[in-house]
Amino acid sequence: MFSLNLFALTQARLPLAMQAELILRIVIAAFCGACVGIERGRRFKDAGIRTHCMVACSAAVMVIISKYGFTDLVDAAGNVFPGVRGADPARIAAQIVSGISFLGVGVIYRDRRNSTKGLTTAAGIWAVAGIGMAIGAGLYVIGVFTTIFVLTLQIFMHKSFFLQDRYSVSQKLDFVAQDDGDTLDRLNALLEGRKIAVVENKVERAGNMIHCRYLLRMSSEQNTQAITSEMLKDPGVRTVDWSEPG
């Protein structure tokens, strides 16, 4: 009966219209995070759209909890319920926000292709912490909605090609070509035409030959054999070798 009274009190202090506005805040925060993620993805950063969405969404949930999550500690007249006088639940919530970060760090790593993995998983762990805080604070509608919203972000954005980061694979490209003044420009144009980004490059010249070492970022759908065949069609190219970043 006491828990039901607390639920009724919470709903009285946060009517459905107000909770709808709080949900809108979460959606807007996620949208803003996605905008930042798109920009970062186009600049070849590891943390992309989904990661920024999750972090922005989670941060919004935690701020909402900090502002509205503890109204059930006092009655309508502002009197503190017996047994909770002097309690500071916001302090406990703050420790959860900072402490859960250490758990997220444990799932982030770099693979043999020099790509960072686990960022979205770490953001998801942080999001789940926010969801748990929402439910624990009695914001049931906010917590359940955030759960559904985060799952939708994870599933939809993982399968949607339009929303995926375009440059997700790193590769090293070494090639030797004749230094006739135009060969390098033609090869760079070939890579640019295939939507392959040159992150780093090193060119060594010896006589009339050049040895180029490129670090590339490209989509997983790119076929290195097809790229090699196109490069070898250029009369100035002698050898082409691919390797994974070490």
Side-chain angles (χ1 to χ4, degrees):
M1 180 65 68
F2 183 66
S3 60
L4 291 178
N5 290 336
L6 288 181
F7 177 77
L9 176 60
T10 302
Q11 299 308 309
R13 289 181 172 271
L14 292 178
L16 291 179
M18 185 175 183
Q19 296 198 47
E21 180 186 350
L22 298 181
I23 288 174
L24 180 61
R25 294 182 189 181
I26 296 172
V27 174
I28 294 174
F31 175 78
C32 293
C35 292
V36 176
I38 291 173
E39 191 274 338
R40 291 288 84 189
R42 292 184 180 275
R43 293 179 181 272
F44 325 126
K45 303 301 181 181
D46 292 311
I49 301 172
R50 286 190 298 159
T51 302
H52 285 78
C53 261
M54 300 281 284
V55 171
C57 170
S58 304
V61 173
M62 293 179 185
V63 170
I64 289 171
I65 294 168
S66 177
K67 293 179 67 177
Y68 306 105
F70 309 104
T71 57
D72 55 356
L73 292 181
V74 296
D75 59 20
N79 299 316
V80 180
F81 282 111
V84 297
R85 185 176 300 277
D88 185 8
R91 176 178 59 83
I92 303 300
Q95 298 303 316
I96 295 174
V97 174
S98 59
I100 200 68
S101 303
F102 291 96
L103 183 60
V105 168
V107 300
I108 301 174
Y109 67 96
R110 298 189 72 86
D111 61 12
R112 293 184 300 172
R113 294 187 175 185
N114 206 32
S115 297
T116 302
K117 303 294 183 181
L119 282 169
T120 303
T121 302
I125 292 173
W126 202 52
V128 170
I131 292 168
M133 290 167 63
I135 300 298
L139 299 177
Y140 305 106
V141 176
I142 297 298
V144 171
F145 170 79
T146 305
T147 301
I148 297 172
F149 192 63
V150 167
L151 286 174
T152 302
L153 287 176
Q154 290 281 54
I155 296 171
F156 176 73
M157 290 188 176
H158 181 71
K159 293 183 178 180
S160 173
F161 176 77
F162 174 75
L163 292 174
Q164 287 181 344
D165 293 335
R166 180 178 298 175
Y167 304 93
S168 57
V169 176
S170 298
Q171 283 284 330
K172 278 187 176 180
L173 170 64
D174 289 8
F175 62 90
V176 177
Q178 186 175 355
D179 188 10
D180 60 5
D182 295 326
T183 301
L184 197 56
D185 292 336
R186 292 196 300 270
L187 296 177
N188 288 334
L190 186 155
L191 296 174
E192 183 178 354
R194 279 184 160 269
K195 308 298 183 183
I196 298 175
V198 179
V199 180
E200 298 177 4
N201 68 80
K202 182 178 181 181
V203 179
E204 297 178 351
R205 287 178 167 82
N208 66 338
M209 303 298 292
I210 54 175
H211 182 194
C212 302
R213 298 181 177 90
Y214 282 4
L215 176 61
L216 307 177
R217 293 294 297 271
M218 55 190 180
S219 71
S220 58
E221 297 182 350
Q222 293 284 359
N223 189 321
T224 56
Q225 293 183 350
I227 299 172
T228 300
S229 299
E230 288 189 34
M231 293 181 65
L232 290 176
K233 290 179 182 178
D234 190 293
V237 177
R238 298 294 181 265
T239 62
V240 177
D241 293 308
W242 295 87
S243 61
E244 294 184 354

